[in-house]
């Protein structure tokens, strides 16, 4: 009764929440100032009303306690990892919300090379996890995103990330064995073999796959506190190839065929516009740092000199201005095996309308896998946001045509607001092709941009004044794309609150998810709005 009376006064309600949280969290772990709440409540694209509170648990026990307390007081909890997403996954939809900052839960718990797994707290960045395994001779199959300096393990599992290792081993969630999940009630669930009493998290499948239930969910069912990943041997030999193509059709054919034959560890490409943006964005200073990274990773002095010289001589103009480009990274336990894969890709390319170019981009990226996140804004300080579709290889052309049709229908808005559009494309294991239109438009940067992008980089940029009409136009174009993709049956990663998951899902499937949500989170305290729940 007392709690119900307090609910009539939001200030009293919040004060009561803070008082009880203060008994389990340190004072510095509770932030109520507007600046912190504003920063932590926005993502790369969306900024709405800030959460009422930001809390930062330092232990799993604290996380469980704060979930029990916040649920009792009627507050929704939204976990935030590195903040590098753009689909409103942790953006509040109601005033009585708290952001759960996972950054203090970032410890390595166990590296077990006998049983081939590693367990880590979910606030750990992909970069930190990868570095912790360096020197062991092992790594995780999927080992991070390009934003992995900030992006976290928990965020990657909630959003279903791709990049490092994806060409061979699939999505981030394909590498996880077990998760430890804190529910809205504060209770803890352990999945996979770890759900068996007295067992370790060495295997994913012990009965129904509960691990999968808590992946790709944007924490709609619970907050992942720890995760266990498979380990595989680190492969000593790696190299790359790059090609240019005059059309998307030729480029995607090359990428799909190499993907289906299982030749690549990573595979991605750019259209001419996005290549030009990339070249404008990078500085001479970063070129030098990247070159040093290439030379250090070469393995020997002679290889270092050769690799460094080739990249330096290629400069920035190794791709023709009007061409698409595709970039392949391969790895193997022997040099002969690596060369076999490179030759197989070259054989595929020889049958298509593509030509080999200097492989500077694969070399630089592999040598510097977790760089700054300066690419989250345009070369002059423009706003940036992608949208994507994941499709089977047979539908890559269809996806491209659907996208171009939406752009044609919005051509007046695109021209009026000077919206630049490029494409990033990638493959996932042997099964999927990712088409990701990328947008740049003139508008002022938000607090997250200024927090995450290097200060030295920001100082060089022209920047833009507020331009809400341009951003509104972007929202409309993006929504049109999302609708068109849904109507074609295309799927998505990092669903959040931006993609039409509920609308495109079979009714029976969604009813099952609703029933699970009701059982695990009857008061809808876990990230309400995600997945349409």
């Amino acid at each position: 009764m007392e709690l119900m009376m307090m609910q009539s006064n939001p200030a009293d309600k919040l004060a009561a929440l803070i008082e009880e949280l203060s008994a389990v969290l340190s004072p510095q772990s509770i932030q109520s100032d507007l600046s912190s709440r504003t920063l932590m409540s926005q993502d790369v694209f969306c900024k709405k009303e800030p959460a009422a509170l930001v809390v930062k648990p330092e232990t799993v026990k604290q996380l469980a306690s704060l979930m029990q307390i916040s649920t009792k007081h009627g507050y929704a909890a939204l976990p935030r990892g590195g903040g590098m997403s753009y689909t409103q996954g942790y953006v509040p939809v109601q005033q009585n919300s708290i952001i759960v900052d996972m950054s203090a839960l970032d410890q390595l718990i166990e590296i077990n090379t006998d049983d081939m797994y590693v367990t880590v707290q979910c606030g750990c960045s992909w970069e930190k996890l990868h570095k912790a395994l360096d020197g062991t001779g092992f790594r995780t199959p999927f080992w991070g995103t390009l934003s992995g300096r900030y992006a976290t393990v928990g965020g990657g599992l909630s959003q279903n990330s791709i990049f490092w290792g994806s060409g061979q081993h699939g999505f981030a969630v394909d590498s996880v064995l077990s998760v430890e999940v804190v529910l809205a009630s504060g209770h803890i669930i352990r999945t996979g073999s770890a759900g068996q009493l007295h067992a370790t998290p060495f295997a994913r499948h012990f009965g129904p796959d509960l691990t999968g239930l808590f992946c790709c969910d944007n924490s709609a069912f619970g907050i992942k506190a720890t995760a266990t990943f498979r380990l595989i041997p680190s492969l000593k030999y790696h190299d790359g190839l790059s090609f240019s193509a005059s059309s998307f059709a030729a480029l995607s054919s090359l990428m799909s065929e190499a993907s289906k034959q299982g030749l690549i560890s990573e595979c991605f490409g750019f259209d001419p516009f996005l290549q030009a943006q990339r070249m404008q964005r990078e500085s001479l200073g970063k070129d030098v740092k990247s070159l040093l990274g290439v030379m250090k990773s070469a393995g020997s002095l002679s290889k270092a000199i050769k690799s460094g010289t080739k990249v330096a001589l290629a400069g920035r103009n190794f791709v023709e201005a009007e061409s698409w480009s595709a970039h392949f990274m391969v790895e193997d336990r022997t040099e002969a095996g690596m060369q076999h894969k490179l030759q197989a890709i070259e054989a595929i390319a020889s049958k298509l309308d593509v030509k080999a170019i200097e492989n500077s981009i694969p070399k630089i990226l592999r040598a510097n896998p977790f760089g700054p996140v300066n690419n989250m804004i345009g070369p002059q300080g423009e706003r940036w946001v992608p949208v994507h579709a994941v499709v089977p290889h047979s539908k890559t052309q269809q996806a491209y045509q659907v996208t171009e049709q939406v752009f044609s229908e919005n051509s007046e808005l695109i021209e009026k607001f000077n919206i630049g559009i490029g494409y990033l494309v990638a493959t996932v294991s042997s099964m999927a092709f990712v088409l990701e239109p990328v947008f740049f438009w003139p508008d002022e940067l938000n607090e997250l941009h200024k927090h995450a992008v290097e200060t030295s980089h920001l100082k060089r940029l022209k920047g833009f004044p507020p331009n809400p009409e341009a951003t509104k136009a972007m929202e409309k174009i993006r929504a049109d794309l999302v609708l068109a993709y849904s109507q074609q049956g295309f799927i998505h990663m990092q669903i959040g609150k931006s993609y039409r998951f509920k609308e495109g899902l079979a009714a029976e499937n969604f009813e099952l998810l609703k029933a699970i949500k009701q059982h695990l989170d009857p008061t809808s305290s876990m990230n309400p709005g995600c997945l349409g729940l």
Side-chain angles (χ1 to χ4, degrees):
M1 179 67 69
E2 183 181 351
L3 181 59
M4 290 177 63
M5 290 176 63
M6 287 190 296
Q7 288 177 351
S8 62
N9 188 322
D12 289 345
K13 181 181 177 183
L14 181 59
L17 172 66
I18 293 173
E19 181 180 3
E20 195 163 349
L21 287 173
S22 298
V24 297
L25 299 175
S26 60
Q28 62 268 26
S29 296
I30 303 173
Q31 298 174 306
S32 58
D33 62 286
L34 180 60
S35 177
S36 297
R37 293 187 292 115
T38 299
L39 172 63
M40 299 296 284
S41 299
Q42 61 189 266
D43 67 10
V44 174
F45 183 59
C46 183
K47 177 181 176 181
K48 295 183 178 179
E49 288 298 311
L53 205 61
V54 177
V55 294
K56 184 161 69 173
E58 298 174 357
T59 66
V60 177
K61 183 178 179 181
Q62 286 184 353
L63 176 60
S65 295
L66 78 85
M67 284 307 307
Q68 183 182 32
I69 293 166
S70 62
T71 299
K72 182 180 77 172
H73 284 263
Y75 278 77
L78 296 82
R80 183 188 187 277
M84 295 293 101
S85 60
Y86 39 81
T87 57
Q88 304 181 59
Y90 58 85
V91 176
V93 295
Q94 60 190 54
Q95 189 175 23
N96 57 328
S97 299
I98 63 171
I99 296 292
V100 181
D101 177 3
M102 295 291 289
S103 62
L105 284 166
D106 67 342
Q107 299 305 301
L108 268 290
I109 297 172
E110 180 184 10
I111 298 174
N112 189 327
T113 56
D114 289 329
D115 295 332
M116 296 298 284
Y117 67 78
V118 57
T119 301
V120 60
Q121 290 180 329
C122 284
C124 180
S125 71
W126 290 105
E127 180 182 46
K128 182 174 180 178
L129 172 58
H130 191 66
K131 286 183 175 179
L133 293 170
D134 190 30
T136 66
F138 300 96
R139 67 168 173 84
T140 55
F142 173 87
W143 53 281
T145 63
L146 285 174
S147 58
R149 179 176 292 187
Y150 293 97
T152 63
V153 165
L157 296 181
S158 285
Q159 302 274 26
N160 198 17
S161 302
I162 61 168
F163 197 78
W164 293 114
S166 288
Q168 187 71 40
H169 300 286
F171 300 100
V173 300
D174 294 322
S175 294
V176 68
L177 296 172
S178 172
V179 288
E180 181 182 32
V181 181
V182 176
L183 303 180
S185 63
H187 291 103
I188 295 176
I189 287 179
R190 296 174 180 88
T191 70
S193 59
Q196 167 78 349
L197 296 177
H198 315 302
T200 61
F202 71 97
R204 176 162 175 165
H205 299 288
F206 181 66
D209 182 20
L210 294 183
T211 301
L213 177 64
F214 295 102
C215 293
C216 312
D217 70 328
N218 277 124
S219 296
F221 296 135
I223 299 181
K224 286 171 283 296
T226 69
T228 300
F229 292 88
R230 289 192 298 124
L231 290 177
I232 61 172
S234 299
L235 301 181
K236 179 179 179 181
Y237 297 93
H238 50 84
D239 203 345
L241 291 170
S242 294
F243 298 88
S244 67
S246 60
S247 67
F248 171 76
L251 183 92
S252 58
S253 295
L254 172 61
M255 294 173 63
S256 287
E257 190 57 36
S259 169
K260 289 185 282 187
Q261 292 191 23
L263 299 170
I264 48 187
S265 57
E266 295 88 24
C267 174
F268 57 96
F270 309 106
D271 80 316
F273 179 85
L274 203 56
Q275 284 171 167
Q277 295 290 88
R278 181 183 178 86
M279 297 307 172
Q280 290 179 53
R281 188 188 282 121
E282 308 296 355
S283 66
L284 179 60
K286 187 163 186 295
D287 283 346
V288 173
K289 292 178 184 178
S290 298
L291 182 58
L292 289 173
V294 170
M295 296 178 74
K296 287 178 181 178
S297 69
S300 69
L301 179 60
S302 61
K303 287 183 178 179
I305 294 172
K306 181 179 179 181
S307 295
T309 301
K310 289 178 70 177
V311 172
L313 289 175
R316 293 176 175 233
N317 298 314
F318 55 88
V319 184
E320 294 176 3
E322 297 304 316
S323 295
W324 293 70
S325 68
H327 309 279
F328 301 85
M329 300 183 190
V330 303
E331 57 185 6
D332 204 276
R333 61 180 65 247
T334 68
E335 185 162 11
M338 179 191 72
Q339 291 297 333
H340 173 77
K341 291 176 180 176
L342 294 173
Q343 291 164 9
I345 295 171
E346 289 172 334
I348 297 169
S350 68
K351 301 174 184 178
L352 298 167
D353 182 23
V354 300
K355 73 174 185 177
I357 56 177
E358 182 54 48
N359 60 346
S360 297
I361 288 179
K363 286 182 181 294
I364 289 172
L365 278 181
R366 181 65 193 235
N368 308 272
F370 301 115
V373 292
N374 299 339
N375 288 358
M376 66 191 291
I377 58 177
Q380 301 300 320
E382 299 94 337
R383 291 284 305 276
W384 163 93
V385 73
V387 66
H388 73 268
V390 182
V391 301
H393 293 292
S394 62
K395 293 190 176 181
T396 55
Q397 300 304 314
Q398 178 184 341
Y400 180 68
Q401 292 164 4
V402 166
T403 305
E404 287 291 302
Q405 179 62 35
V406 171
F407 293 159
S408 175
E409 293 168 356
N410 286 278
S411 58
E412 291 185 9
L413 283 179
I414 292 168
E415 182 176 358
K416 178 179 179 180
F417 293 106
N418 194 27
I419 298 171
I421 301 173
Y423 284 95
L424 172 65
V425 290
T427 59
V428 183
S429 187
S430 60
M431 60 193 174
F433 192 96
V434 179
L435 182 75
E436 183 171 275
V438 180
F439 303 91
F440 301 84
W441 72 101
D443 193 3
E444 67 175 343
L445 302 179
N446 64 25
E447 291 86 352
L448 179 58
H449 298 123
K450 295 170 185 176
H451 173 76
V453 176
E454 292 178 308
T455 303
S456 59
H457 183 75
L458 284 171
K459 288 179 178 178
R460 293 194 298 267
L461 304 180
K462 169 186 171 184
F464 296 90
N467 193 352
E469 288 190 358
T471 297
K472 187 175 181 180
M474 259 309 313
E475 291 172 349
K476 194 263 183 191
I477 297 167
R478 200 163 176 244
D480 287 354
L481 272 177
V482 168
L483 175 60
Y485 291 158
S486 178
Q487 291 171 339
Q488 298 295 325
F490 302 157
I491 65 170
H492 309 281
M493 300 167 283
Q494 58 170 289
I495 296 166
K497 306 178 186 82
S498 294
Y499 290 107
R500 298 173 64 87
F501 177 71
K502 173 183 177 181
E503 294 83 353
L505 198 64
E508 295 82 0
N509 292 39
F510 193 72
E511 287 302 313
L512 175 59
L513 291 179
K514 281 174 59 179
I516 294 171
K517 173 75 169 177
Q518 176 64 26
H519 177 75
L520 296 175
D521 179 23
T523 59
S524 196
S525 299
M526 287 304 317
N527 209 353
C530 275
L531 307 185
L533 294 167

